[in-house]
Amino acid sequence: MQAVDQQVIGQIRDWLVNDVPCWLATVVATYGSSPRPVGSLLTCNGDGSLTGSLSGGCVEDDLLEKLTRGELAQDRAQFFRYGETAEEAEKLGLPCGGHLDIVIEPVEPDPARRSHFEHLVARLDARACVERTLEVRSGAYAARDVERHQPLHYDHAAGRLVQTYGPQYQLFIIGTNMVAAYVAEIALALGYDVVVCDPRADELARFNVAGVHKVREMPDDAVRRYADDPYSAIVALTHDPRIDDMGLMEALKTDAFYVGAMGSARTSANRRIRLEALELTEAEIDRLHAPIGLPIGSKTPPEIAVAVLAEVTAVRQRKVDAAQAALKASTPVAAALAAGS
């Protein structure tokens, strides 16, 4: 499975290789409740083929109609706002009071653009980040390889869009088993960079999920090396306390936004006693999500993986929402921006 951004950029590359012109649309701002985050991508061509999503409502159909009728972004990139009026928002399925700002860019199948999108695809296939800049008024574009994902930046006054493609978050998995394989595959599809750690050479060699970074190290060392940042989630899935506890002992001291461990309620209670014996504080142990995952009645490995990634997603989004709320509260001009001034 591929992340949505990877599918969109890959589709553009494929169309350009076959001399098919297309458009790339990017969500650059949302106001009010929005079904898709800033940075969401969509590509479509003149035949009506479409990959990606901007809203989950009727915006995609309306945009495709405007593009194929020649009303938008024919010869140059263009900024466009959906939801200017309450009537339009209701018609397009946008939440009450919300509107959606997008930049639409025509993409012609010339050699320079083919090379440009080939490079973007290569970076995404390598699970690496690449920063793309688009000058909306002139149509100029450029790519720069970067180490880390940065938030999208759109300067409306200057007409400049800067966006990083590639993994924004990391999932660090302790242990290799069937549950870990399903967790890794779903996480890759959600756009995570996935690191799998197991000190057991034979177990690690048998783990064959494409696109993950496999690390044969003791989990405490590996956690410190790879996952001590607020963009990482750490999950312990071995059922072996000699491995899981060692990793959790360090994970609960990191800045990771999520730490979870697989096991029953009884296993989790016993684990808490062991972690207390390792001199972790009560506050550190309280960070642990155990039993791991949302309580959806999961039994099979794929069901457990769905529950795990659902909880990781919920925790991550709560932190994002809290950070955005704090930013708005500290920025007096936020209301003016939201009004579209």
Side-chain angles (χ1 to χ4, degrees):
M1 292 185 286
Q2 291 183 326
V4 175
D5 288 5
Q6 193 172 7
Q7 293 179 37
V8 171
I9 300 302
Q11 180 62 78
I12 294 174
R13 186 275 311 273
D14 293 345
W15 279 333
L16 296 182
V17 167
N18 289 286
D19 292 319
V20 178
C22 56
W23 290 273
L24 171 62
T26 306
V27 176
V28 297
T30 62
Y31 303 103
S33 177
S34 172
R36 294 289 184 271
V38 169
S40 295
L41 302 178
L42 174 144
T43 186
C44 59
N45 65 22
D47 293 333
S49 297
L50 181 152
T51 299
S53 178
L54 300 179
S55 76
C58 300
V59 168
E60 289 84 354
D61 292 339
D62 184 80
L63 177 63
L64 186 59
E65 184 177 347
K66 283 181 168 61
L67 291 170
T68 53
R69 287 201 311 236
E71 298 176 8
L72 283 175
Q74 296 304 296
D75 301 316
R76 61 182 179 84
Q78 187 173 345
F79 169 87
F80 190 76
R81 170 169 289 177
Y82 276 107
E84 288 278 15
T85 65
E87 292 76 15
E88 183 185 45
E90 182 178 1
K91 171 188 171 184
L92 297 173
L94 294 172
C96 180
H99 53 268
L100 184 73
D101 290 352
I102 62 175
V103 166
I104 314 105
E105 173 190 1
V107 183
E108 294 296 327
D110 55 66
R113 285 191 188 271
R114 288 194 193 98
S115 176
H116 177 71
F117 278 91
E118 285 283 6
H119 179 70
L120 298 183
V121 168
R123 291 291 290 177
L124 293 176
D125 285 348
R127 307 293 300 166
C129 291
V130 57
E131 179 187 273
R132 184 172 190 262
T133 300
L134 171 68
E135 302 292 345
V136 175
R137 296 192 182 101
S138 68
Y141 56 90
R144 181 173 71 95
D145 295 349
V146 294
E147 291 296 320
R148 186 112 200 159
H149 198 284
Q150 295 294 327
L152 178 146
H153 177 71
Y154 177 64
D155 185 334
H156 185 63
R160 181 178 297 111
L161 169 61
V162 182
Q163 183 174 11
T164 304
Y165 301 133
Q168 182 173 359
Y169 290 94
Q170 174 182 256
L171 183 67
F172 186 93
I173 301 174
I174 301 171
T176 51
N177 51 34
M178 188 174 290
V179 172
Y182 279 107
V183 168
E185 289 176 352
I186 296 174
L188 289 169
L190 293 173
Y192 284 87
D193 193 20
V194 179
V195 177
V196 178
C197 172
D198 201 312
R200 302 167 296 184
D202 291 345
E203 296 290 337
L204 195 62
R206 284 193 288 268
F207 194 83
N208 59 0
V209 176
V212 306
H213 178 204
K214 297 196 290 186
V215 174
R216 185 192 169 197
E217 295 183 25
M218 299 308 293
D220 53 341
D221 294 333
V223 163
R224 285 192 296 267
R225 184 190 304 270
Y226 297 102
D228 188 3
D229 64 75
Y231 297 97
S232 289
I234 303 169
V235 295
L237 304 176
T238 71
H239 269 313
D240 185 341
R242 294 171 299 177
I243 298 175
D244 283 351
D245 288 5
M246 187 176 296
L248 293 171
M249 179 177 64
E250 292 300 325
L252 293 168
K253 299 175 183 178
T254 68
D255 290 330
F257 72 85
Y258 176 95
V259 181
M262 188 166 63
S264 66
R266 181 177 180 180
T267 298
S268 299
N270 290 334
R271 179 187 293 113
R272 184 180 182 97
I273 293 171
R274 294 195 304 270
L275 292 174
E276 289 172 349
L278 292 171
E279 299 184 351
L280 271 73
T281 68
E282 184 175 349
E284 289 169 339
I285 297 173
D286 285 344
R287 295 185 58 206
L288 181 63
H289 294 265
I292 198 170
L294 294 183
I296 62 173
S298 53
K299 299 294 184 183
T300 67
E303 290 173 348
I304 294 170
V306 169
V308 170
L309 268 303
E311 185 173 58
V312 171
T313 300
V315 172
R316 186 193 74 197
Q317 193 57 49
R318 284 200 296 269
K319 291 184 179 296
V320 170
D321 291 344
Q324 290 177 342
L327 179 62
K328 289 181 180 179
S330 65
T331 309
V333 298
L337 292 174
S341 60

